[in-house]
Amino acid sequence: MSHEKAGKYSCYEYERKFLLKDLPLDLLNSKDYKIIEDKYFKGTNLRLRIVISPEGKILDRKFTQKYIPENSTLAKNSITNLYLNEAEAALLNQLPGAMLRKKRYQLKPDNYNFSIDEFEGNHLGLIIAEIEFETEQEMNSFSNPFTDAKEVTLDHQYSGGTLALE
């Protein structure tokens, strides 16, 4: 997430996404990942995210509003995070929503920091590499280091909310 303000309490998030055919070899059999459970609330820009260690320990709870500002694209979002305690997350988790679960790995080729998401459930086999940038200029000048990856940054089909609702 960038430090550039999108509003009084929100920041811009500059990101690019790449569809991978397989999990990168460096991550095969890795136990260095986090489990992410996202609940998307239909008809809103809101999600509840629970981050869990492989051992089952809750690492983080966040309530997030993420939307595309006017005259922008999926590559430049406005994002606001509110960190929650256990009771707050449990209360929000009672609301109806669509779930999306994935393992998130970190990969650092060529001094870049990628999040590699390996999806579970209805999207088993789907692997998306995502990278965030501090500025729009940095994002626009980035070259994809994956040889067999298709860029899906601007494809709504690969946004979390769309995937959860499928």
Side-chain angles (χ1 to χ4, degrees):
M1 182 169 29
S2 166
H3 296 291
E4 184 182 345
K5 293 278 191 184
K8 187 172 182 179
Y9 301 107
S10 60
C11 293
Y12 285 114
E13 180 181 65
Y14 301 105
E15 64 183 3
R16 291 186 52 193
K17 294 180 179 183
F18 302 90
L19 183 62
L20 304 181
K21 292 180 180 178
D22 298 298
L23 200 60
L25 291 176
D26 295 354
L27 302 178
L28 287 178
N29 303 315
S30 173
K31 301 293 182 207
D32 190 17
Y33 62 85
K34 295 176 182 171
I35 298 165
I36 295 178
E37 293 180 344
D38 286 333
K39 181 180 253 187
Y40 289 86
F41 301 101
K42 189 174 182 178
T44 75
N45 296 311
L46 303 172
R47 83 168 175 227
L48 174 63
R49 172 168 283 180
I50 309 295
V51 182
I52 307 164
S53 74
E55 299 78 33
K57 179 182 177 199
I58 303 288
L59 302 173
D60 227 344
R61 300 171 192 89
K62 293 190 279 188
F63 190 50
T64 301
Q65 179 189 48
K66 187 172 179 179
Y67 68 93
I68 303 168
E70 192 173 315
N71 300 321
S72 191
T73 69
L74 283 170
K76 181 182 179 182
N77 296 288
S78 173
I79 188 166
T80 307
N81 285 312
L82 179 65
Y83 291 85
L84 306 173
N85 64 33
E86 184 177 356
E88 293 163 338
L91 179 68
L92 289 170
N93 207 17
Q94 293 177 36
L95 297 171
M99 294 297 299
L100 188 63
R101 185 178 160 106
K102 59 192 174 186
K103 288 180 183 174
R104 175 164 284 176
Y105 303 86
Q106 296 301 311
L107 186 66
K108 299 181 181 184
D110 303 325
N111 296 319
Y112 290 108
N113 189 12
F114 279 91
S115 294
I116 309 293
D117 292 337
E118 181 180 31
F119 290 83
E120 299 180 357
N122 293 341
H123 301 290
L124 189 64
L126 177 64
I127 301 169
I128 296 177
E130 182 177 295
I131 184 168
E132 293 184 9
F133 303 92
E134 284 294 318
T135 67
E136 193 166 7
Q137 180 182 357
E138 182 184 5
M139 177 184 68
N140 291 335
S141 64
F142 175 76
S143 295
N144 174 12
F146 298 103
T147 53
D148 288 336
K150 173 186 173 190
E151 183 158 4
V152 294
T153 302
L154 303 179
D155 189 338
H156 284 276
Q157 176 182 342
Y158 295 100
S159 70
T162 300
L163 289 170
L165 295 169
E166 288 182 342

